[in-house]
Amino acid sequence: MNTNHLILIISGPEAGRSFVLVDGQSLQIGRGQNSDTKINDPYMSRIHCRVSIDGNRAQVIDASGGNLFVNGKPTETAILESGAEFKAGQSTFRYLIGDISDQKTVLPGNAPQPKSAAPTPPSKQSEPVSARPEDLIGKSFASYRVDSLLAVGSTGLVFKGTDTQKDRTVAIKVLFPDRMTNEEERDRFIRAMKTMLPIRHPNLIRIYNAGKSGPYCWASMEYVDGENLNQVIDRIGIEGMLDWRQAWRVAVDVASGLDAAAREKIIHRNVTPANILRRKSDKVCMLGDLMLAKALEGTLARQVTSPGTMVGSINYMSPERTRDSNIADTRSDIYGLGATLYALLTGRPPFQGDSTIEIIRKIREEEPVPPTKYQMAIHAPFEAIVLRMIAKHPDQRYASPEALLKELERIGRYQSL
């Protein structure tokens, strides 16, 4: 068997593209005609960086003069472990390694079983697992037809689709098969997602349906024409800091959604910029993936113990959740929103590091730099709210989204926002 090395674009203008390398090969990543990738990313250099493979070791080398980031830190060169992420321009890449028998693009969980593994008993779930995102386009999950790929995330793929029964555009989230390793986990996913079906709120992305189709767990949901807040944060360093009033508007929208969820006794558990969408037409923010973290509790717990696999989410994780991923209440959600607001104001999360362990240590032990150190124009009372939201101990934060909303609305009245 050949050892294949996969470079997968997980966010940016060409999310979903992937490149397979073997020993001795290198990949010149950039937007120029002389690159190996020709990625349509205007913020990327013509030759931005190079990934080279030597045995089972992958190394990424900057070629842009200081604009390569590995796990959120600028670097000239770094050794990549499987699961590591690096950023060039507005594009984020994930590196994966695995022994596979052919040259097809392999997504997490899709590598063939070793020959020594016991054969899988025949069942109705024996449908083959698609190796490439594009292989799912045109297929249907219940009445939902998959039309095009929107994004590749850490837990699965998000497609734009069509509800053929109601003739409306939807988003379809399809989990990587390795996220659901047994029937109990698959059933938990279905139950958790269907908990959201009756929930209606203008700041919560509505779930329409959820189910299992062959090896896939999926959920259909409201389609939002816009961008997630990761994309907004990515632009801050290029276009300048976000006016604090826009961050305040995000805070009000998401806190309103969290308040509606709390009234139904639902905790999000994973409030991050990637899970907040800002609609293009009116800039309203909507919180997505509600109940997904609950549905993936077992998987999330395993990921936290695996270095490099959840760095993006860990930056926004509350101190108590770094100790036990199953510990969460509404104050943990408030922390996640606070950390997101901090990143909107400063262009970076409150705590960064070169490894998962370093980030967790800082989350538990260090105090954040006040956002006004990065942007002096931030309204002082709003900065105080954000810092209270990311206090180390839950008791030091707002007790509920309702209490947070009252403080935000008080500032809005005072500032005529």
Side-chain angles (χ1 to χ4, degrees):
M1 296 176 107
N2 297 319
T3 298
N4 279 14
H5 303 257
L6 176 69
I7 308 296
L8 178 67
I9 305 178
I10 62 172
S11 69
E14 297 199 37
R17 284 188 65 189
S18 56
F19 312 90
V20 176
L21 303 174
V22 295
D23 184 19
Q25 286 188 324
S26 64
L27 182 75
Q28 291 195 114
I29 295 174
R31 62 179 172 84
Q33 290 300 310
N34 292 327
S35 72
D36 298 319
T37 59
K38 301 178 182 63
I39 294 169
N40 184 25
D41 182 340
Y43 295 93
M44 189 179 291
S45 300
R46 288 180 175 85
I47 301 292
H48 201 105
C49 60
R50 185 176 73 255
V51 176
S52 58
I53 307 299
D54 183 6
N56 284 335
R57 190 181 79 158
Q59 184 177 25
V60 61
I61 302 169
D62 180 36
S64 63
N67 292 307
L68 174 68
F69 296 81
V70 177
N71 292 335
K73 289 287 189 178
T75 185
E76 294 182 0
T77 181
I79 302 300
L80 300 175
E81 296 182 358
S82 186
E85 295 178 4
F86 61 95
K87 184 178 178 184
Q90 285 190 323
S91 302
T92 303
F93 301 78
R94 178 174 293 126
Y95 165 71
L96 298 164
I97 184 173
D99 290 327
I100 60 179
S101 57
D102 59 27
Q103 297 295 315
K104 294 174 74 175
T105 299
V106 174
L107 297 174
N110 291 344
Q113 294 294 317
K115 291 182 179 179
S116 59
T120 303
S123 73
K124 63 179 180 180
Q125 196 165 313
S126 59
E127 178 184 325
V129 179
S130 174
R132 302 177 300 171
E134 54 264 37
D135 288 344
L136 292 178
I137 294 173
K139 295 186 180 299
S140 292
F141 297 96
S143 64
Y144 305 99
R145 186 186 68 235
V146 176
D147 294 333
S148 61
L149 181 67
L150 291 174
V152 180
S154 60
T155 59
L157 306 164
V158 181
F159 295 93
K160 186 177 182 180
T162 301
D163 182 341
T164 56
Q165 285 188 347
K166 298 189 176 181
D167 192 26
R168 62 182 174 186
T169 301
V170 297
I172 306 169
K173 181 143 194 166
V174 182
L175 298 187
F176 292 133
D178 71 341
R179 297 306 186 213
M180 302 280 102
T181 58
N182 56 56
E183 199 63 26
E184 180 183 351
E185 289 189 336
R186 287 186 279 270
D187 289 342
R188 182 173 63 219
F189 169 82
I190 303 300
R191 289 195 303 270
M193 298 308 287
K194 287 192 173 181
T195 300
M196 281 297 300
L197 297 185
I199 308 298
R200 303 284 189 276
H201 190 273
N203 299 112
L204 295 177
I205 295 176
R206 182 179 169 187
I207 302 293
Y208 294 138
N209 204 348
K212 297 178 290 184
S213 296
Y216 298 105
C217 284
W218 57 270
S220 63
M221 61 197 74
E222 181 180 0
Y223 173 72
V224 179
D225 184 13
E227 60 183 351
N228 67 47
L229 293 190
N230 260 344
Q231 294 167 295
V232 177
I233 294 166
D234 286 346
R235 287 202 306 272
I236 288 174
I238 299 169
E239 299 179 357
M241 294 299 178
L242 190 74
D243 188 291
W244 74 268
R245 295 168 184 83
Q246 294 187 50
W248 175 86
R249 182 72 259 170
V250 171
V252 171
D253 285 350
V254 180
S256 297
L258 288 174
D259 182 48
R263 294 177 188 277
E264 301 290 336
K265 302 189 185 304
I266 293 174
I267 301 164
H268 191 289
R269 289 176 164 84
N270 193 33
V271 179
T272 68
N275 287 331
I276 301 170
L277 297 182
R278 188 164 72 163
R279 194 161 51 208
K280 184 188 301 182
S281 60
D282 54 11
K283 305 301 183 186
V284 167
C285 284
M286 305 176 71
L287 182 62
D289 275 356
L290 198 61
M291 293 302 291
L292 182 62
K294 175 67 175 177
L296 297 175
E297 270 183 348
T299 298
L300 288 175
R302 290 193 297 273
Q303 287 178 320
V304 170
T305 62
S306 178
T309 59
M310 274 190 65
V311 172
S313 297
I314 284 178
N315 289 103
Y316 300 93
M317 189 177 285
S318 64
E320 63 271 19
R321 291 210 67 217
T322 68
R323 294 181 171 90
D324 185 343
S325 64
N326 292 318
I327 292 178
D329 60 22
T330 191
R331 296 170 300 178
S332 300
D333 286 346
I334 288 172
Y335 181 99
L337 174 56
T340 298
L341 296 173
Y342 185 102
L344 285 171
L345 294 170
T346 67
R348 68 204 74 194
F351 305 103
Q352 295 175 293
D354 293 326
S355 67
T356 303
I357 292 173
E358 182 183 1
I359 296 170
I360 289 175
R361 181 192 64 77
K362 289 181 177 180
I363 289 173
R364 292 176 180 176
E365 301 174 5
E366 294 188 6
E367 292 300 321
V369 175
T372 46
K373 293 291 184 181
Y374 302 102
Q375 184 186 172
M376 293 182 64
I378 298 171
H379 188 51
F382 183 61
E383 178 185 59
I385 287 176
V386 172
L387 291 175
R388 181 176 173 184
M389 293 170 72
I390 57 174
K392 297 296 180 193
H393 197 280
D395 290 342
Q396 297 172 324
R397 301 174 208 146
Y398 294 95
S400 66
E402 181 182 19
L404 170 60
L405 270 173
K406 288 180 179 178
E407 284 293 289
L408 291 169
E409 289 167 353
R410 181 179 62 80
I411 287 179
R413 287 193 299 270
Y414 182 75
Q415 293 290 313
S416 301
L417 298 176

